[in-house]
Amino acid sequence: MPTAHDDDPPGEPSLAGAADGPRTLDVGAGVETLTDQGTIVALLAELIATATTSLWGAHPGAGFGPDHVETWWGPVSDMAARDVEVRTLLQHSTRAQTATQSYAALALPAGVLIRTVPVIAARTLIFDDTTALATRFVEGRSEGALLIRDPGLVAYLARGYEADWALAQDFPALLDAEGQTVEIDQTARTVLALLADGHKDEVVARRLGCSVRTARRHVSSLMELLDSSSRFQAGARAAQAGLLD
């Protein structure tokens, strides 16, 4: 799984810093300092695989990387299938970011909760209300991660997360190229369903009872609305976002 500094996109979910070094236990606080990138990646994978009730994540930055769905959606979908509550807190600026919209189109129908706030200070992941993984800062720079198991500290982080979550805005199911919520009528829903199934303009025209030329105009406008480069992509994005249900 890829790694990320705190200014990297949340699509690469690890909290590794640039420095490499041993995993050491801070004295008496239930907090471990992790500076080895491989250790952080392995630990993150373990925490994701063994989570039983919840994963609450807060991710700073401008949005997901283009490979986010491929690298991060698999583990998240596995957690959702295990009925683990997955919350994702992002910054408002991600709402119009294409890769983030693509992730949301998969995640929201699967039951993943996504909200946004104006600013997120640091990347934080809270597992099962018992363990947290957070960015470690040294002289203002992110260097590695902190593994937190102290019950009081974890409860403090969870309380802060709940406060941010309560004030956050839901991520729209699907946005257009200008970042506005997509709303479609029954005709558009029919066209998109046909596109998702790979049908041609002639089939769309017959289903709508219109000319092929009119059908092509419908297809073109929906592709533009959904910021899609192909007919199939437009239908697939609508299906993933639950607009065809």
Side-chain angles (χ1 to χ4, degrees):
M1 186 173 296
T3 61
H5 294 79
D6 201 54
D7 55 352
D8 288 335
E12 299 176 3
S14 83
L15 298 155
D20 289 332
R23 169 174 171 172
T24 60
L25 181 64
D26 287 353
V27 178
V31 178
E32 288 187 67
T33 297
L34 310 177
T35 56
D36 178 67
Q37 179 173 304
T39 299
I40 296 171
V41 171
L43 176 62
L44 180 58
E46 177 186 347
L47 291 171
I48 290 172
T50 58
T52 58
T53 59
S54 61
L55 166 57
W56 295 355
H59 305 277
F64 295 129
D67 61 346
H68 177 83
V69 173
E70 180 179 349
T71 60
W72 186 229
W73 171 240
V76 170
S77 63
D78 288 344
M79 283 189 287
R82 302 198 308 267
D83 291 327
V84 174
E85 180 191 63
V86 181
R87 296 187 187 183
T88 302
L89 198 60
L90 304 172
Q91 296 186 171
H92 286 333
S93 59
T94 66
R95 295 166 74 90
Q97 204 261 350
T98 301
T100 304
Q101 292 176 21
S102 297
Y103 172 76
L106 290 172
L108 292 172
V112 175
L113 305 174
I114 307 175
R115 292 184 181 179
T116 64
V117 292
V119 177
I120 295 173
R123 194 181 316 280
T124 306
L125 302 172
I126 304 172
F127 296 87
D128 296 340
D129 285 328
T130 61
T131 304
L133 198 60
T135 299
R136 172 179 178 259
F137 289 96
V138 177
E139 296 181 352
R141 296 182 57 189
S142 60
E143 294 188 9
L146 298 175
L147 174 61
I148 304 167
R149 298 191 188 276
D150 179 82
L153 290 176
V154 174
Y156 174 81
L157 291 172
R159 188 180 182 93
Y161 190 97
E162 284 275 30
D164 288 340
W165 187 262
L167 297 174
Q169 299 177 13
D170 288 334
F171 197 99
L174 191 62
L175 301 177
D176 61 21
E178 283 72 44
Q180 301 300 312
T181 303
V182 171
E183 298 180 2
I184 62 173
D185 59 18
Q186 186 56 50
T187 297
R189 191 172 287 110
T190 298
V191 173
L192 288 167
L194 292 171
L195 297 183
D197 289 337
H199 292 295
K200 302 297 185 182
D201 293 334
E202 289 76 12
V203 175
V204 174
R206 285 199 299 272
R207 184 66 61 87
L208 297 182
C210 65
S211 68
V212 173
R213 183 177 180 180
T214 298
R216 286 173 179 160
R217 284 202 299 268
H218 279 299
V219 171
S220 178
S221 64
L222 288 170
M223 286 176 58
E224 182 178 355
L225 175 66
L226 297 174
D227 193 26
S228 301
S229 58
S230 71
R231 303 155 52 88
F232 180 77
Q233 184 185 43
R237 288 195 69 196
Q240 289 167 351
L243 294 178
L244 307 185
D245 296 339

